Amino acid sequence: MATAAPSIDLKEEILRLKKEKNAIILAHNYQVGPIQDIADYVGDSLGLAYKAQATDADVIAFCGVHFMAETAKILNPHKTVILPDRNAGCSLEESCPDEALEKFLNDNAEKNYYVIAYINCSAGVKALCDVICTSGNAVNIVNQAPEDRPILFVPDANLGGWVMEQTGRKMDLWKGSCYLHVEFTRESIQKIKDEYPDALVVAHPECVQAVRLLADEVCSTEKMVHYCKNAPAQNIIVVTESGMLHRLQKECPEKNLIPGPTDHCACGDCRFMKLNTMEKLRDCLKNLSPQVEMSPELCEKAERPLLRMLEQSKK
Ligand code: CIZ
């Protein structure tokens, strides 16, 4: 989605407020260009979690979706964590309510599942899990799971299916999906491949298997940067949320990056990610609201599997 250039005044106001509040601005790779450009750090959930853990700012302005800001709060219970739009949710998070997961685990208690949750889930779900993963480290995390326990992978069945293919480890999959990534279809990607026969295709593992099979590389957004920089092709079709194209175009100015189309649109905009705007970023810094709030008990329970992930990610 093309975003109008923000006024110099708006940018200056955001930078002034950031200084005044001793804030850091963290932005996900899927945010609109102007937000990425003004952020202190732009990255995927894993990189953002490490940055949130390391910061000494008093305020974290998190430009992403709610579960990402919540993750920053879990890692920083005593800091103020704000987000531009409280309604920036996630269909994956919605697909796995904590009550439903708790009931499933109780109903299947005899299985003694080792539960691995993709970071795109609520704090309530994180609190019920053994370890968290991101798309960037999911293969590594699954490879470290105890061999004597069955794995339940929540909430993304597509990412889980891809990880099973990569690791050979059988897992039971929660039937959740990202509403946007499943809109990329075999037909929509084959059509753009036919238009650019010499292009390479890089796709996100949240895509369905039929799309992943058309890709030359399947990886997380952060790994896409490395892939595109080093790919031996000028044209690269990028099959993920459209905000990634901004990051990639900055990092790989010499490449022609082509957004993968969905079955009804020339590129994939996540309706939740795109709720955040520069005006809302300014307002949340000014008012220190909306804030992410969570009980200390929930924070503590959700922190354990997150810290385990950060630790296991280094291996
Ligand atoms: O892990 C993330 O930040 C997401 C949602 C996608 C990716 O691959 O970076």
Side-chain angles (χ1 to χ4, degrees), residues 149-184:
R149 286 176 68 185
I151 299 176
L152 174 67
F153 189 91
V154 303
D156 191 345
N158 290 307
L159 175 65
W162 176 73
V163 173
M164 283 208 283
E165 290 158 19
Q166 302 302 303
T167 60
R169 184 83 195 254
K170 160 123 187 42
M171 304 194 290
D172 287 339
L173 305 177
W174 194 266
K175 300 261 173 298
S177 59
C178 162
Y179 92 91
L180 170 68
H181 281 90
V182 300
E183 285 180 358
F184 299 109

Side-chain angles (χ1 to χ4, degrees), residues 66-102:
H66 184 261
F67 77 80
M68 296 177 179
E70 209 175 46
T71 303
K73 182 70 179 176
I74 295 166
L75 294 169
N76 290 283
H78 305 298
K79 288 193 195 294
T80 301
V81 178
I82 51 176
L83 68 167
D85 192 316
R86 172 64 188 86
N87 294 320
C90 170
S91 58
L92 269 167
E93 176 181 348
E94 282 168 17
S95 69
C96 186
D98 54 359
E99 302 83 7
L101 176 59
E102 190 165 24

